[in-house]
Amino acid sequence: MPDPVYNVLFLCTGNSARSLIAETILNAEGKGRFRAFSAGSHPKGRPHPFAIDLLEKLGHDTSGLRSKSWDEFAGPGAPKMDFVFTVCDQAAAEACPIWPGQPMTAHWGVPDPAAATGTESERRLAFSEAYRMLSTRISLLLNLPIASIDRLALKRRLDDIGANQREPAR
């Protein structure tokens, strides 16, 4: 029997930077074990140009990225999510739709690079830092023995990933 493919939804308010970056990283690094999506409660309507620029410079395909509402993933016909991660504080505090299938959830807050101020270099650095944080967390997710641990232990490990940058206790 083939290994399952886990659907993952990354949520943020604007769906223009952090959640799109996470979607892109997981789709690239998940090696067919994960299928990532992203959405926002109040999508900006387009990806942030600095996010697209960074992803492309790092060799990621950005052709399919778009800013979209989480409503697309809450209705009939939407893919069933196995995991839903909020990557910004606003989305974590908002009332989320009811996700069919009761996916595992966790908050992986990352500072908003789109809100960064300063020179262009300083603002671009904020995007690089968000990428680094998300990449580290996704790497930890990819190394979890998802199929062999119980739901409560998995939830604890997912929460640990969001709480710090160290590998969660085994």
Side-chain angles (χ1 to χ4, degrees):
M1 185 169 160
D3 289 335
V5 175
Y6 298 103
N7 287 333
V8 179
L9 179 60
F10 292 98
L11 295 177
C12 197
T13 305
N15 189 224
S16 69
R18 292 165 288 190
S19 51
L20 290 171
I21 290 169
E23 172 188 1
T24 303
I25 295 168
L26 184 55
N27 279 330
E29 301 298 320
K31 299 179 182 14
R33 289 181 42 224
F34 292 86
R35 184 174 31 200
F37 305 90
S38 68
S41 57
H42 302 311
K44 297 282 185 189
R46 67 181 180 86
H48 194 288
F50 288 1
I52 296 297
D53 189 51
L54 174 66
L55 290 168
E56 288 176 349
K57 283 181 178 172
L58 294 171
H60 292 286
D61 177 14
T62 62
S63 60
L65 290 182
R66 64 186 179 86
S67 178
K68 58 209 153 299
S69 172
W70 64 15
D71 293 340
E72 288 187 29
F73 299 96
K80 177 190 164 284
M81 293 300 152
D82 298 293
F83 301 94
V84 176
F85 300 115
T86 53
V87 293
C88 60
D89 294 331
Q90 290 83 2
E94 291 182 26
C96 292
I98 302 299
W99 305 109
Q102 299 179 326
M104 188 74 56
T105 63
H107 177 62
W108 290 1
V110 172
D112 185 3
T117 59
T119 66
E120 181 175 327
S121 294
E122 291 168 330
R123 293 173 34 229
R124 287 185 182 274
L125 181 60
F127 281 83
S128 294
E129 182 62 12
Y131 182 96
R132 183 197 62 76
M133 291 178 72
L134 290 163
S135 181
T136 298
R137 290 174 180 178
I138 288 167
S139 177
L140 292 170
L141 170 67
L142 293 173
N143 286 296
L144 287 176
I146 294 171
S148 65
I149 59 176
D150 68 60
R151 194 165 168 86
L152 185 59
L154 178 57
K155 172 67 172 145
R156 187 171 47 252
R157 289 183 181 190
L158 294 173
D159 288 340
D160 286 348
I161 290 171
N164 59 57
Q165 290 295 301
R166 296 183 308 275
E167 182 160 348
R170 299 225 185 277

